[in-house]
Amino acid sequence: MTGLEDRNIHQQILNILQNGNAQFRVITHEAVGKCEAVSEIRGTALGQGAKALVCKVKGNGVNQHVLAILAADQQADLARLAQHLGGLKASLASPVEVDALTACEFGAIPPFSFHPSLKLVADPLLFSRFDEIAFNAGLLEKSIILNTSDYLRIARPELVDFRRDSSH
């Protein structure tokens, strides 16, 4: 079982967090896909939002799908991500691939991978500024605000610096 047969990703996340004794709360809100709008509704800072990008890293014999998580107020540097994983280039996955790998619509992808072919990496800046992170939990109308250290302990992402350097 890949974990995606049950496409209720929201419930799977709740189960994982409850089983892991995580400190979190669920917020139900209007379905908005934009980071800025949803952080306002949640009452959280934009930088607490965990933005999830499904990417493909290729080249040099590498062919890897990656769930790359970064703070919502940052931009991804896909070249840095590819380089870290030993590939030559990284691109965003197609909507069909996103659906197959996450069972979520775009904008509702949580910072958890339930698919064995989807490697979870996260930019460390997301965890260094706030005690809690916020993310859409598999559904556009459900957000979870989660203790940062509980996220790191339960999801165990590989930490990779891949945000775009703001000085460029």
Side-chain angles (χ1 to χ4, degrees), residues 9-20:
I9 298 299
H10 181 69
Q11 191 56 54
Q12 287 191 52
I13 294 168
L14 293 180
N15 295 345
I16 285 174
L17 295 179
Q18 285 157 353
N19 294 340

Side-chain angles (χ1 to χ4, degrees), residues 69-146:
I69 310 301
L70 82 163
D73 61 352
Q74 301 294 310
Q75 294 295 313
D77 183 338
L78 295 183
R80 283 179 79 185
L81 185 63
Q83 188 178 13
H84 176 81
L85 295 168
L88 297 175
K89 65 178 192 136
S91 58
L92 293 176
S94 71
V96 171
E97 289 170 311
V98 169
D99 182 68
L101 292 164
T102 69
C104 294
E105 61 185 304
F106 194 78
I109 301 167
F112 290 88
S113 173
F114 295 102
H115 196 290
S117 304
L118 189 61
K119 179 182 180 69
L120 179 64
V121 303
D123 187 277
L125 183 68
L126 176 61
F127 312 112
S128 64
R129 297 180 293 171
F130 299 99
D131 293 336
E132 294 179 319
I133 62 168
F135 55 89
N136 276 85
L139 300 164
L140 284 175
E141 66 280 3
K142 296 275 188 196
S143 286
I144 287 179
I145 298 175
L146 171 62

Side-chain angles (χ1 to χ4, degrees), residues 52-57 64-68 76 78 81 90-93 97-98 101 118-119 162:
L53 303 172
V54 181
C55 305
K56 258 192 311 209
V57 176
Q64 173 76 60
H65 280 98
V66 180
L67 182 61
L78 295 183
L81 185 63
S91 58
L92 293 176
E97 289 170 311
V98 169
L101 292 164
L118 189 61
K119 179 182 180 69
F162 71 92

